Amino acid sequence: MLAHHTLSILGIIMALVLGESGTEVNAVLFGSEITNPLLQMRWFLRETGHYHSFTGDVVDFLFAALFTGVRIGIGAHLLFCEMVSPKPRWFVKVGGVAMYAVSWCFMFSIWRFAWRKSSKKYHTWRSRRSEEWQLKHNGHLKTH
């Protein structure tokens, strides 16, 4: 998170000082911050005790989907355009690669979180289903 914010600040300063590459910097900042409302929603749901609900699952899914689509998908296209363009200076291109690399670091963390959360929900579902089957067929819960 510190690298993300440091690179963002440096990109803004660079665009202001040089008077160029403002479009690239704004595109990166927009793509980086578009998922922020969903992160804030997760925080509010946690604070109010509503995170472990269907709404929390929807917010998590939308966050992961939006992050993947915008920061990884569209970000890849924008980075390619920046890299093949002769106009941006070399350090602007390096900054673009650095921001994209930070996005991939976040992406791995998000995927790991999503896998753990999905696995936990699946195992809970399987356990409940097994208990329901046992109650239905013999009237007793299996004790371990």
Side-chain angles (χ1 to χ4, degrees):
M1 191 60 73
L2 185 59
H4 160 76
H5 285 101
T6 301
L7 288 168
S8 297
I9 291 167
L10 291 173
I12 292 168
I13 291 170
M14 183 264 326
L16 290 172
V17 169
L18 295 177
E20 57 187 59
S21 295
T23 302
E24 292 91 338
V25 170
N26 278 321
V28 168
L29 291 176
F30 177 78
S32 295
E33 297 303 325
I34 196 166
T35 55
N36 197 31
L38 292 169
L39 283 176
Q40 299 306 315
M41 178 65 76
R42 290 179 80 230
W43 183 84
F44 283 116
L45 288 171
R46 281 186 187 279
E47 288 296 309
T48 59
H50 295 96
Y51 176 70
H52 298 289
S53 66
F54 178 72
T55 304
D57 293 342
V58 170
V59 169
D60 281 344
F61 174 79
L62 291 174
F63 171 75
L66 190 61
F67 190 98
T68 303
V70 174
R71 287 182 72 168
I72 302 302
I74 295 172
H77 176 71
L78 292 176
L79 181 62
F80 173 78
C81 292
E82 181 180 57
M83 296 306 280
V84 298
S85 175
K87 189 168 181 168
R89 296 183 188 202
W90 69 269
F91 49 85
V92 174
K93 293 179 182 193
V94 169
V97 170
M99 280 297 280
Y100 194 67
V102 168
S103 290
W104 269 104
C105 291
F106 286 148
M107 188 78 259
F108 288 130
S109 294
I110 291 166
W111 283 344
R112 194 172 65 235
F113 161 78
W115 178 259
R116 278 186 275 158
K117 184 173 182 176
S118 298
S119 295
K120 186 176 179 181
K121 285 196 171 285
Y122 174 74
H123 291 299
T124 301
W125 174 77
R126 291 282 300 188
S127 175
R128 284 188 188 149
R129 189 169 167 218
S130 175
E131 288 175 2
E132 289 170 2
W133 185 88
Q134 289 173 19
L135 280 172
K136 182 179 177 184
H137 285 76
N138 67 10
H140 301 286
L141 283 176
K142 183 178 177 182
T143 56
H144 300 281

